[in-house]
Amino acid sequence: MKNWKAKGLKWTLAASMAVTAILPLTYSTPPTYAAEAVVSKVEVVKRLPMVQVIATGGTIAGQSVDETSFTKYRSGTLLIEDMVAALPNKDQIAEVSSYQFGNSGSSAYSMEQLYDLSKTVDEALKTQDGVVVTTGTDTMEEIAYFLDLTVRSPKPVVITGSMRPWTVIGSDAQANLYNAIKLAASGKTKYFGTVLMLNDEFHAAREVTKTNSYRTDTFVSPGVGSLGHIDGDQIRVYRAPFRALKNGGQWATPFDLNKIGKEDLAKVEIAYSYQDAGAGAISGFAKAGADGIVTAGTGAGGISRAMSEERKQAIEEGVIFVSTTRTGSGSNYSSGEGIIGGDNLNPAHARIMLLLSLSFSENFDTIKGWFETYGYGQVEARK
């Protein structure tokens, strides 16, 4: 019996040793596995998105008289290179570069300069994953809509600025610039066209407007609301502009600036209606060579009798009109000989749309068709 147990023990030990010897051959990691492990570690370290900040000046680059001078400052003073360098933790969200396009208030820029700005943005997007454009807020919505209609790349373009200069206590400038970079780097607004980001919210360029001269929550999208917001690391997108629903072939507008020179940009003005408004605005604009005129009408787009008579005369002379409302929100369906309904475009946005349309065509029906496709914001269900 003892011999049997001894033999059994020897057999068990021998078997264990054999298995132990075999295990390294069976379960050891071959060189290819080791190589794959190294690759997987490399893949974990992902390349940060590349975002370029293109600066044009404005309050965001403002130098205040002192740290508490909220309204006394010189806009367009600081350089974007220094502003970007001062942002903390930017290397955690993107590889950020900068380009100083200009350093002026937004209303100081001509349409020819916006032509150059749009082409600068497109050139940057050939190598960058997204672009942030900093501007003054006074005409930011118009600059944003011009870029929205002309930039050819579907990559994210985010326009931002601030209501307080960079150098005062409690400035919104640093937060807005940081969040704009974060939004562009996220890629969440690809195919959205240009979006405007301030006060932790982002809006479609077509619909957003400035509503207050001083408050930091000045930008809103009347009737439709923002696209989404940024809360720390969370970027929430709750709706999309209609362009984001278009396929690749339909996404781009006809307004390719590579096909025209800046000298080809049309001249378009805005005539504001009010109680017993005279005809002088329309007649003056027409005599000064306006190719098109946008009327900011009362209610659903009405204009005074004198303006209406002068509009008829201008239409006979070849001027194209777009009818909009001065109320701040609502749609306009007015149309007729030489008149296009501006839908819910505000007067400033309608001017940008008509200016670009007239820069590429003089045909009324073609322009009307562009307003009813590229210029509108209505979402259509798939058929």
Side-chain angles (χ1 to χ4, degrees), residues 44-375:
V44 170
V45 183
K46 294 183 179 179
R47 177 182 69 83
L48 284 172
M50 296 172 64
V51 175
Q52 183 168 92
V53 182
I54 299 175
T56 70
T59 296
I60 192 171
Q63 174 70 56
S64 56
V65 173
D66 55 46
E67 291 83 353
T68 57
S69 297
F70 294 98
T71 59
K72 294 180 180 179
Y73 59 90
R74 183 181 175 186
S75 66
T77 301
L78 305 179
L79 298 178
I80 193 60
E81 181 181 7
D82 297 330
M83 294 161 64
V84 168
L87 288 179
N89 300 328
K90 60 183 176 296
D91 56 345
Q92 297 178 13
I93 57 174
E95 184 179 328
V96 187
S97 60
S98 63
Y99 176 75
Q100 194 77 48
F101 177 86
N103 218 354
S104 302
S106 58
S107 57
Y109 285 95
S110 66
M111 300 313 298
E112 289 81 4
Q113 288 172 311
L114 296 192
Y115 172 102
D116 291 335
L117 177 61
S118 178
K119 298 193 77 171
T120 299
V121 170
D122 254 328
E123 185 64 28
L125 289 172
K126 291 179 180 179
T127 58
Q128 303 294 304
D129 298 302
V131 160
V132 171
V133 178
T134 62
T135 76
T137 59
D138 286 354
T139 60
M140 180 182 285
E141 64 191 87
E142 294 164 72
I143 296 174
Y145 195 41
F146 187 91
L147 295 177
D148 183 60
L149 290 171
T150 57
V151 171
R152 311 311 291 170
S153 173
K155 293 179 182 178
V157 178
V158 181
I159 191 167
T160 194
S162 69
M163 295 300 290
R164 295 172 177 172
W166 187 273
T167 54
V168 298
I169 59 171
S171 175
D172 56 331
Q174 293 86 353
N176 286 344
L177 180 56
Y178 185 85
N179 277 340
I181 293 170
K182 182 189 295 182
L183 180 60
S186 75
K188 291 196 173 190
T189 59
K190 186 176 182 181
Y191 285 105
F192 276 38
T194 299
V195 301
L196 185 151
M197 201 300 302
L198 267 87
N199 203 43
D200 302 335
E201 296 181 341
F202 49 98
H203 300 256
R206 180 190 179 278
E207 298 149 357
V208 71
T209 190
K210 187 175 183 178
T211 63
N212 191 283
S213 55
Y214 287 112
R215 302 291 80 82
T216 57
D217 60 350
T218 180
F219 283 100
V220 299
S221 295
V224 293
S226 67
L227 299 175
H229 55 250
I230 303 172
D231 293 323
D233 294 332
Q234 304 299 322
I235 299 176
R236 293 287 189 252
V237 182
Y238 290 108
R239 72 178 187 89
F242 83 104
R243 287 186 70 193
L245 307 179
K246 301 286 186 181
N247 62 40
Q250 296 178 318
W251 183 84
T253 72
F255 310 128
D256 183 353
L257 298 182
N258 293 310
K259 296 181 179 179
I260 65 170
K262 64 182 73 177
E263 67 280 1
D264 297 318
L265 291 173
K267 184 177 179 60
V268 176
E269 307 288 359
I270 300 175
Y272 193 91
S273 185
Y274 45 88
Q275 193 72 45
D276 197 27
I282 291 178
S283 63
F285 288 147
K287 289 177 182 178
D291 302 296
I293 297 174
V294 174
T295 56
T298 56
I303 58 176
S304 69
R305 181 172 296 177
M307 289 182 72
S308 181
E309 290 300 317
E310 193 62 36
R311 179 171 64 180
K312 292 177 183 177
Q313 179 63 36
I315 289 172
E316 290 179 2
E317 295 171 1
V319 180
I320 293 179
F321 282 78
V322 172
S323 179
T324 67
T325 176
R326 73 177 197 184
T327 60
S329 64
S331 299
N332 186 286
Y333 308 108
S334 302
S335 62
E337 184 68 30
I339 304 171
I340 298 170
D343 192 33
N344 66 338
L345 289 170
N346 69 25
H349 290 164
R351 173 181 174 266
I352 297 297
M353 179 65 195
L354 182 57
L355 185 154
L356 286 169
S357 297
L358 282 164
S359 301
F360 284 82
S361 177
E362 296 179 353
N363 183 271
F364 176 82
D365 290 333
T366 298
I367 294 171
K368 185 172 183 291
W370 286 342
F371 264 84
E372 293 172 350
T373 51
Y374 300 100

Side-chain angles (χ1 to χ4, degrees), residues 23-47:
L23 279 174
L25 298 175
T26 307
Y27 296 104
S28 62
T29 305
T32 53
Y33 285 19
E36 289 172 3
V38 171
V39 171
S40 65
K41 287 182 180 179
V42 173
E43 289 176 345
V44 170
V45 183
K46 294 183 179 179
R47 177 182 69 83

